[in-house]
Amino acid sequence: MEQYDTAVPRQRDPSAAEIYLEVQRSPAFQEVRRRYRRFVFPAALAFLLWYLAYVVAATAAPGLMARPVAGAVNVAMLAGLGQFLTTFLLTWAYARHARLRRDRAALELRWDTQEMTRGVAQR
């Protein structure tokens, strides 16, 4: 004769994968992701357009790019240096944005996730 367990089923502990999926669906995680995307996508698009404009101008308007500005310095040199400058400015802006708008929330999510997964790792 078979025996059936009629007791209330035990709550099983979630796996690490389930915990990470829960965190990923959380409003706090979604907010961090939204803040990241709101900065990165427009900044990357602006930089790529600026770079594309430089390349197109260099190939389509060589006369414009060869125009002297001061001595041996021409428009192409200034635009090329501008590419370096915007790279550094974008890096600074990204680091500042991360520090002011995302790092604290991401760190809190990290600590919360580590607390939730601590029991899973010890099993």
Side-chain angles (χ1 to χ4, degrees), residues 98-116:
R99 185 180 70 247
L100 296 177
R101 311 244 174 175
R102 292 190 328 266
D103 285 354
R104 185 173 313 237
L107 186 59
E108 288 173 10
L109 275 170
R110 178 182 172 198
W111 287 116
D112 293 346
T113 304
Q114 285 180 345
E115 284 295 316
M116 288 189 281

Side-chain angles (χ1 to χ4, degrees), residues 54-113:
Y54 173 71
V55 171
V56 168
T59 57
L64 170 69
M65 298 299 268
R67 185 172 295 158
V69 175
V73 177
N74 60 21
V75 173
M77 288 178 167
L78 289 180
L81 290 173
Q83 291 287 317
F84 284 104
L85 179 63
T86 55
T87 300
F88 292 121
L89 286 174
L90 189 58
T91 302
W92 170 82
Y94 176 82
R96 183 176 185 276
H97 181 268
R99 185 180 70 247
L100 296 177
R101 311 244 174 175
R102 292 190 328 266
D103 285 354
R104 185 173 313 237
L107 186 59
E108 288 173 10
L109 275 170
R110 178 182 172 198
W111 287 116
D112 293 346
T113 304

Side-chain angles (χ1 to χ4, degrees), residues 14-89:
S15 68
E18 291 169 333
I19 290 170
Y20 283 109
L21 287 172
E22 178 184 330
V23 169
Q24 186 178 11
R25 288 186 293 262
S26 73
F29 181 85
Q30 295 301 321
E31 178 64 20
V32 169
R33 222 167 120 172
R34 184 186 64 78
R35 289 178 184 180
Y36 171 79
R37 287 180 174 171
R38 285 185 61 178
F39 179 84
V40 169
F41 289 144
L45 180 64
F47 185 78
L48 288 173
L49 288 174
W50 160 229
Y51 178 74
L52 183 62
Y54 173 71
V55 171
V56 168
T59 57
L64 170 69
M65 298 299 268
R67 185 172 295 158
V69 175
V73 177
N74 60 21
V75 173
M77 288 178 167
L78 289 180
L81 290 173
Q83 291 287 317
F84 284 104
L85 179 63
T86 55
T87 300
F88 292 121
L89 286 174

